[in-house]
Amino acid sequence: MISLPFFLSILLSMTQLVVVVMFAPLIAGFRVFMSARLTGVAAPPVLRRWYLIATQWCADSPDQNSDPLTPQTSIVASCATTAAMTTVLVVSLLVPMAASGLATAHLSDIFVITLLLMSAQIACQLPALGGQAETATTAFRRLISASVAIPVLFLIAVLFFSVGATTNLDVVLSGLRSGSPFGDDAPFVLAALALLVAGAASDCTVSDVGVTGTDRAILMLAADCSSLIWLTLAGDLFWPGSLALISEHQTVTGSVGALSVGFLLWIVRCCVLCVILAAGNLVAAGPVTRIRLRGAGALLLAFFAIQVLFGSRFPIMPYRGAVHEQSTFDDNTGGGPL
Amino acid sequence: MALVALIWPAAAGGIPVPGMGMQTVGTVFLFSFAMTGLLVNARSQSGWRVSLACAAACFAALAVHPLLLATAGAAAQLLVLPSRQRLSAGCLRMLLFVSGCAPGGEWAACIAALTAGCAASRGRGALALAPSVEMGCSLLILIRCCLQSQVIPARQMAFVLLVGGVTLGFGRALKALSTRYASSAFASIFAASHALAVIASGLFLLASAADSPLCGQAALSAFVLDLLCVWPVAVALLHIGDLTVAGGGSDRLNRLGGLILFAPRLAALFAVVACAYLLLPPTGGFSVLWLLAETALGLLPEGYAPALPSIVLLASLGAIVALFSLAVLRLVMLVMLGGPRTPRMAGCTDITEGTIQPILVCLVVTAVTSCVPGLIARLTPRLMGFSLTSNEMSVNVLTAITLVGPDGLSSWTPIAVMLMLLVVAVIVIILRQRARVSLPKSAHIVFSDVTPSEETLWSDGLRTRSSWLPFGEPLLWPGSDAVAAILKQTVLISSASFRDARYRVFKVFALAVRGGKVAIAGIHRIEIHGLAVVLLLTALALWAVTVRP
């Protein structure tokens, strides 16, 4: 007989998959909305992103004989679309969003998750690389922008391993549930900032030229999902206490209630992070500066997080001279009253 | 034979030739050299030389006696030396190899492995595979020296290997990103597998020095996995690069392009091999990377300052992965995608069935090898010199699963991720096909000639003019310099910034001089009151001295 937590964890995984696909364009629309509002221009509606995807989904495929590059682009686009969407959906099954203790908890390694996300970002830009000069250069610039984050991911793995002796996300998050974000878990707040700067701030825009129709709709959806998962990862590290625990509740009602609260908190977390990102984008001046700032800022934050971790969590051994002086002092005093 | 020897070394039995034996290290390298030999077309120009070189390298892999090893390895390297050009560097590396084979030549082996990583492409045809022979021979003597760690200063050599491996990785990746020649780019990308193997050897030595057999086993597993799963794919990439250059008729990257239009089979093979070599999940390269990262994390010392070198090493690994991924993508962008940039490219011929078969056999054999249950888990302890009991063996077979196959890692993660990817991919493909079959027409069309998109304004685009060019948009293409310029602009400080900084320094200096002149010229204004100021200061000083007790 299947136990209740196991059944719930399977159900949760499936729900997570659906919720990511449903909410990713909304969150992306909210982010664009906030960016526009903060810069003072007319803001597009939040549902605009969903409208674009639906329009592209229903659009006809381009005429195959109109351009010599069209058949080539369509082959590359169909392969890249499948790869990107598949990768993103698999990652959405691995990342804890509303609750920890998923059926896939033992598979959620930080290396696997983040590098799979990187693969998805590369796949999203692949069709544009086959386009014309301006499109290809822009796409390659976006790829460079995404790849500057890879060293940061390795540093965050150091942080994970130093605390939990593992790089498993679920295990590390479970260990952080009781800590305070301003106390012992401060390094992880910094790491979340680094993840936010490195991953979520990257430009996932799918280029206008080249891909149309269903492939373009799926690519846009994959880019939005990828962005949402970066936000979720950062949110998990910011506030691990917001994740519900399935095994805590013995009844179905209690578990469903906890999961609902978990999903609600996940949406709130993502919206807050969107506002932070939109406000942060105002500070950066231009695209090159933004890439450089992101790379350098994320690296510094990750290094700083490790430094804070070593300073706060592990005991500092007194240097040898101090120990010698202390022992000499004890010997002299003999432990008795002066 | 190489495959049988690898999977079941006892089946091959003892070799009757004196000075040769079926050691585990030898079988691993025998497999790699055999895969290289498989791709050589013996009928082509200089193909027989490279075939003989691969045979000599196979002998070297099986050699136990140092003299036989040196002779066979040197013969292999001699056979792939070019006839006229760049002889000196090759000869120097060969001498280093021979000195590394001698007993007590551990440091020479270390230097030989690092210098072999700089080997460039030797020419067209079969000679394009020459770097794999040379790097393989140098790795063979390096790992033999590492396994005899009781006679060498392990910590110092580990430091040299790690620093050298990381530097090599950076250098070759930057070369691959900035070169204008396709053969050079392919050879530089091939060096990634060599750099990973050198780093794995360094980590193995470090684990031996730290007396940590588990980490040592992980590092050695990364080394073996690199040779069995990544190396043959890298050799196939070299071969495909040579075929591309031969088909396109030029070695210059800015004269190639649009391979997918004219040679779809070659382009498909190129895409498969490039994806397998990207060092990102779910590939064998990622498994190697994961094992290296876990080893480095396992060897992390306590305290921030002692752990800093390991942290820097991990960040460098990440940077190497990023740079090599970008290099592979750049090659894909410039060679495979886009339009032809010269008329010659339009005359590119596709490869024949006979050329495809060895590459396919190499890829399939590599995939099968990486899927043999517990192969790495059996090979690695044997490499370290101890055999497992049947209990330990069964545990290893059950728990060691990699992304590309059931080896090396300590959980079911890779195979589970692969299965999930396959299942979800099937679902996505089915959904897409169904969407294409039953497409409803869009009910709400605002402008008939404008498609709403992500980059247009939110009111469904306000494009006022469509393209007016009579023959469509020009197929302008970013050359290799554009990519290098983007990288330089992004990562390094641009020359404009240097110019601005210099201008600012000059400005401050000039302002300082001018301010000094103005100050000197303005002294006469205060000299009238100067006497009063001096008197006041003197009075204050006197007051302070006399009044204060």
Side-chain angles (χ1 to χ4, degrees):
Chain A
M1 185 183 168
I2 301 172
S3 61
L4 180 66
F6 182 72
F7 174 73
L8 277 175
S9 64
I10 296 281
L11 192 69
L12 179 64
S13 300
M14 295 297 115
T15 315
Q16 227 172 249
L17 200 69
V18 177
V19 165
V20 165
V21 174
M22 297 298 293
F23 274 86
L26 287 180
I27 296 285
F30 179 70
R31 194 169 146 191
V32 174
F33 175 84
M34 283 309 298
S35 299
R37 271 300 166 95
L38 287 176
T39 43
V41 297
V46 177
L47 282 172
R48 157 86 178 155
R49 190 81 183 170
W50 255 126
Y51 167 69
L52 283 177
I53 291 173
T55 317
Q56 290 295 333
W57 184 272
C58 299
D60 291 330
S61 295
D63 184 12
Q64 296 286 318
N65 298 321
S66 61
D67 190 350
L69 286 186
T70 308
Q72 170 203 325
T73 314
S74 66
I75 294 168
V76 176
S78 57
C79 294
T81 302
T82 313
M85 197 65 207
T86 306
T87 314
V88 164
L89 289 181
V90 167
V91 177
S92 70
L93 284 173
L94 298 178
V95 178
M97 288 175 185
S100 55
L102 298 171
T104 53
H106 57 285
L107 305 177
S108 62
D109 191 274
I110 187 77
F111 277 123
V112 176
I113 290 173
T114 48
L115 290 180
L116 275 175
L117 279 176
M118 283 289 159
S119 310
Q121 283 188 353
I122 288 174
C124 281
Q125 300 298 334
L126 213 51
L129 285 183
Q132 291 159 3
E134 190 186 353
T135 320
T137 311
T138 313
F140 204 80
R141 191 186 289 276
R142 283 178 186 149
L143 282 178
I144 291 175
S145 165
S147 61
V148 294
I150 295 181
V152 178
L153 306 178
F154 280 69
L155 292 183
I156 289 173
V158 173
L159 198 72
F160 274 42
F161 198 85
S162 304
V163 173
T166 177
T167 46
N168 188 294
L169 184 64
D170 198 72
V171 174
V172 175
L173 287 179
S174 304
L176 296 178
R177 289 178 64 84
S178 54
S180 154
F182 303 105
D184 285 349
D185 293 346
F188 287 89
V189 177
L190 287 171
L193 274 176
L195 263 186
L196 202 64
V197 173
S202 62
D203 191 4
C204 292
T205 314
V206 179
S207 177
D208 257 2
V209 188
V211 194
T212 50
T214 317
D215 287 339
R216 182 168 169 71
I218 298 179
L219 266 189
M220 287 169 72
L221 197 58
D224 290 347
C225 290
S226 163
S227 181
L228 180 62
I229 293 170
W230 279 116
L231 282 181
T232 308
L233 267 178
D236 283 346
L237 289 181
F238 261 125
W239 191 14
S242 65
L243 295 173
L245 258 184
I246 301 174
S247 53
E248 266 183 355
H249 306 277
Q250 296 300 323
T251 59
V252 178
T253 322
S255 302
V256 170
L259 287 181
S260 309
V261 173
F263 274 113
L264 189 69
L265 289 176
W266 168 67
I267 293 169
V268 171
R269 254 168 33 195
C270 290
C271 289
V272 171
L273 290 178
C274 279
V275 175
I276 291 174
L277 272 180
N281 271 344
L282 284 179
V283 179
V288 176
T289 321
R290 197 180 301 159
I291 296 172
R292 208 183 289 156
L293 196 71
R294 271 186 49 224
L299 263 176
L300 281 178
L301 279 169
F303 259 118
F304 188 47
I306 292 171
Q307 202 169 7
V308 171
L309 174 89
F310 277 94
S312 66
R313 286 216 171 203
F314 300 132
I316 301 167
M317 297 297 290
Y319 67 95
R320 201 172 291 166
V323 174
H324 180 69
E325 282 168 14
Q326 184 66 34
S327 61
T328 315
F329 178 74
D330 289 344
D331 289 345
N332 287 340
T333 53
L338 287 171
Chain B
M1 181 200 159
L3 201 59
V4 171
L6 186 71
I7 295 170
W8 194 18
I15 300 176
V17 181
M20 294 180 75
M22 194 65 81
Q23 290 181 337
T24 313
V25 185
T27 54
V28 173
F29 278 92
L30 180 67
F31 176 76
S32 307
F33 290 134
M35 285 296 114
T36 309
L38 184 71
L39 295 174
V40 177
N41 183 7
R43 289 177 194 167
S44 68
Q45 189 188 8
S46 67
W48 62 273
R49 278 171 59 190
V50 183
S51 299
L52 275 179
C54 287
C58 288
F59 272 111
L62 295 178
V64 180
H65 197 274
L67 189 62
L68 197 60
L69 171 65
T71 312
Q77 295 187 36
L78 200 64
L79 280 167
V80 293
L81 277 180
S83 47
R84 290 189 188 88
Q85 296 173 348
R86 282 175 280 182
L87 263 177
S88 51
C91 287
L92 188 64
R93 285 197 292 265
M94 196 173 65
L95 285 175
L96 272 171
F97 170 80
V98 172
S99 58
C101 291
E106 289 83 10
W107 281 104
C110 175
I111 303 298
L114 290 176
T115 50
C118 307
S121 174
R122 292 280 169 76
R124 303 278 176 84
L127 277 178
L129 302 181
S132 72
V133 176
E134 192 175 335
M135 290 181 194
C137 287
S138 68
L139 282 179
L140 175 66
I141 56 164
L142 176 68
I143 196 66
R144 287 195 172 192
C145 293
C146 288
L147 288 171
Q148 302 163 353
S149 54
Q150 65 275 13
V151 292
I152 55 173
R155 204 171 280 276
Q156 290 89 330
M157 195 181 278
F159 177 75
V160 171
L161 281 176
L162 289 176
V163 172
V166 169
T167 313
L168 188 67
F170 272 119
R172 295 309 296 256
L174 290 176
K175 173 84 175 168
L177 277 169
S178 58
T179 183
R180 286 181 295 171
Y181 298 99
S183 56
S184 174
F186 277 106
S188 297
I189 289 173
F190 172 80
S193 54
H194 181 81
L196 285 182
V198 169
I199 292 172
S201 317
L203 282 174
F204 172 69
L205 279 181
L206 202 63
S208 305
D211 204 12
S212 168
L214 274 178
C215 291
Q217 192 171 348
L220 212 52
S221 299
F223 186 88
V224 175
L225 203 60
D226 184 44
L227 278 178
L228 293 187
C229 302
V230 183
W231 193 273
V233 178
V235 177
L237 187 70
L238 265 185
H239 187 48
I240 288 172
D242 177 58
L243 291 175
T244 309
V245 169
S250 174
D251 195 13
R252 285 182 174 266
L253 279 171
N254 54 8
R255 290 182 187 168
L256 302 173
L259 193 71
I260 196 171
L261 291 172
F262 308 108
R265 282 185 290 195
L266 181 58
L269 268 182
F270 184 20
V272 168
V273 172
C275 286
Y277 196 64
L278 213 52
L279 299 183
L280 291 176
T283 60
F286 172 68
S287 295
V288 176
L289 195 71
W290 194 2
L291 279 172
L292 287 180
E294 294 290 331
T295 312
L297 287 172
L299 291 171
L300 208 65
E302 286 182 11
Y304 180 68
L308 200 55
S310 300
I311 294 170
V312 172
L313 172 69
L314 279 162
S316 309
L317 264 180
I320 287 173
V321 174
L323 288 177
F324 272 109
S325 303
L326 283 177
V328 172
L329 285 169
R330 173 186 180 239
L331 265 187
V332 169
M333 181 177 87
L334 290 178
V335 175
M336 200 171 83
L337 303 177
R341 276 165 284 165
T342 51
R344 171 66 182 82
M345 193 62 205
C348 174
T349 50
D350 207 351
I351 49 176
T352 57
E353 293 287 337
T355 319
I356 293 178
Q357 277 167 7
I359 302 173
L360 279 182
V361 169
C362 173
L363 291 178
V364 169
V365 168
T366 308
V368 169
T369 312
S370 57
C371 290
V372 174
L375 181 65
I376 306 292
R378 281 181 202 160
L379 280 176
T380 311
R382 219 182 287 148
L383 269 178
M384 292 176 82
F386 56 87
S387 58
L388 295 174
T389 61
S390 57
N391 257 345
E392 287 167 336
M393 184 76 81
S394 61
V395 168
N396 271 333
V397 170
L398 277 177
T399 55
I401 308 289
T402 59
L403 277 181
V404 286
D407 296 302
L409 298 179
S410 57
S411 71
W412 290 88
T413 305
I415 200 86
V417 171
M418 280 291 284
L419 282 176
M420 284 162 68
L421 281 172
L422 284 177
V423 171
V424 177
V426 169
I427 295 171
V428 169
I429 289 170
I430 291 172
L431 278 178
R432 209 182 53 190
Q433 293 299 329
R434 289 191 64 181
R436 276 186 181 162
V437 169
S438 57
L439 273 179
K441 291 290 173 193
S442 183
H444 178 66
I445 298 171
V446 182
F447 301 108
S448 57
D449 59 334
V450 173
T451 314
S453 71
E454 206 174 341
E455 292 177 359
T456 53
L457 293 177
W458 68 276
S459 57
D460 282 351
L462 290 174
R463 287 179 184 170
T464 53
R465 191 181 63 179
S466 58
S467 173
W468 52 273
L469 294 170
F471 304 108
E473 292 289 331
L475 294 180
L476 292 177
W477 194 254
S480 50
D481 292 342
V483 172
I486 294 170
L487 269 177
K488 206 184 285 178
Q489 191 191 13
T490 307
V491 180
L492 307 173
I493 299 170
S494 61
S495 55
S497 305
F498 274 123
R499 212 167 40 238
D500 290 351
R502 204 167 52 200
Y503 174 71
R504 274 191 219 109
V505 169
F506 282 145
K507 193 176 166 186
V508 168
F509 182 71
L511 281 178
V513 171
R514 188 169 173 276
K517 279 183 184 173
V518 169
I520 290 168
I523 283 178
H524 72 280
R525 292 179 191 167
I526 60 167
E527 68 185 1
I528 304 164
H529 310 287
L531 188 59
V533 171
V534 169
L535 283 175
L536 189 63
L537 285 176
T538 313
L540 278 174
L542 282 173
W543 179 80
V545 170
T546 51
V547 176
R548 270 187 67 185

